[in-house]
Amino acid sequence: MNTQLYIGIMSGTSMDGADAVLIRMQGNQWQGALAHAFTPYSDDLRQELLNLQNIGDNELHRSNILSQTLSRLYAQTVHTLLSEQNLPVEAVTAIGCHGQTVRHAPEHGYSIQLADLPLLAELTGIFTIGDFRSRDLASGGQGAPLVPAFHQALFQHLQETRVVLNIGGISNISVLPPQQAAFGFDTGPGNMLMDAWMQHNWQQSYDRDGQRAAQGSILPDLLNRLLDHPYFRRPHPKSTGRELFSLNWLQGRLKGGEKPEDVLRTLVRYTAQTIRDAVDTAAPDTRNLYVCGGGIRNPVLMQDLADLFSPAVGLNSTAALHLDPQWVEAAAFAWLAACWINRTPSSPNHATGAAKACILGAGHYA
């Protein structure tokens, strides 16, 4: 059987930009990730996307214009990737594009990811697959997280339970028991609240290298108020987003007078603590945790995780499993595109709560 190349495009809840990853498959068999490209969002684009998180005027028009803008940026990222690898568009079987989430409301049966998929197919000349969440939602699932089936295909061990932790805007885990179906769920905020607090106080999109957080101290009372959110008492499957964990929600739990650095430091511990609590509940026999996503670049957060999990659970990067932690999510959507092409059910229904495993996505010819 010949090998095929696929490109996955992911823009996460951190809204920092678009990642594209080129992978090689042989039918349904993973052959490896080959290359990566990243295009950052402009400050204006990021703000326009954030504005759509809240009810506002002319939303239908704004969202459609933003879908076109995003697809042009995605196409630029694809062409950059192909140019750097000296590959023609004809070499790629399909693109798998997640789009940019602006509303996630599984309780109402929908989740909105912005992307003009026919436009992306036209601009790249490559068959494009997207709208991955709708089929799972239609089958009664949460539509998220979608990556546990991918994590299982690549990372499952025959003898030990592993957990793959993705820290993006939201944190989510995939639990990979040996020789059983994977499951997973959103543990709560990842970088999202930290980023919102940075923007609110210092007009910076994120805390580079955790430098601001390192200047603060954890506020135990605030931490306990944040941990009291009812989301953490809900059983999985479950998923969440900015709708529950917003800047306004955070500000409503402040008493006033807190030093901004202390609030930020507390938010870092909040992310780490909610991850630890989720793993303790869902996978108490875990001995190795593998981390991916942007949060891995925050040394304060990674130290908190190490302190909370040590010595019972080893903390590793997915690089130890031969996949760069910054490539994992985009690679997952390339893999989902391969599943669509090969008509293979790919939804992790044990993670999402759907009635059955489905072939996810909808295809658009160039």
Side-chain angles (χ1 to χ4, degrees), residues 43-58:
D43 290 342
D44 287 346
L45 175 57
R46 184 172 186 272
Q47 190 57 55
E48 288 179 43
L49 291 167
L50 287 170
N51 290 343
L52 273 183
Q53 301 292 313
N54 303 307
I55 295 172
D57 295 332
N58 214 13

Side-chain angles (χ1 to χ4, degrees), residues 66-79:
L66 283 171
S67 292
Q68 295 173 27
T69 300
L70 286 166
S71 289
R72 292 187 178 94
L73 183 143
Y74 296 157
Q76 174 190 337
T77 311
V78 167
H79 287 303

Side-chain angles (χ1 to χ4, degrees), residues 204-328:
Q204 296 174 8
S205 58
Y206 71 102
D207 185 15
R208 184 183 294 274
D209 299 324
Q211 293 176 359
R212 289 278 185 182
Q215 299 170 21
S217 300
I218 296 169
L219 303 173
D221 289 345
L222 174 60
L223 179 60
N224 288 333
R225 290 195 297 275
L226 299 178
L227 289 169
D228 194 43
H229 195 294
Y231 178 79
F232 305 114
R233 296 189 289 275
R234 284 171 46 192
H236 61 83
K238 58 182 178 179
S239 56
T240 189
R242 294 179 186 273
E243 295 78 11
L244 288 186
F245 296 99
S246 66
L247 180 62
N248 286 340
W249 171 81
L250 169 62
Q251 290 172 322
R253 273 132 194 91
L254 301 178
K255 291 186 174 180
E258 296 96 341
K259 290 172 56 179
E261 291 84 359
D262 291 346
V263 174
L264 182 61
R265 180 66 186 89
T266 304
L267 291 174
V268 176
R269 177 54 67 95
Y270 183 49
T271 290
Q273 185 65 60
T274 52
I275 291 167
R276 175 64 207 243
D277 292 346
V279 173
D280 280 352
T281 299
D285 58 340
T286 300
R287 293 296 171 263
N288 282 291
L289 185 74
Y290 296 90
V291 186
C292 59
I296 201 171
R297 294 178 292 189
N298 185 330
V300 180
L301 176 57
M302 294 305 295
Q303 186 59 57
D304 271 4
L305 287 170
D307 291 344
L308 290 170
F309 279 103
S310 179
V313 179
L315 195 65
N316 316 274
S317 164
T318 55
L321 301 177
H322 313 295
L323 188 56
D324 187 296
Q326 303 299 326
W327 296 18
V328 174

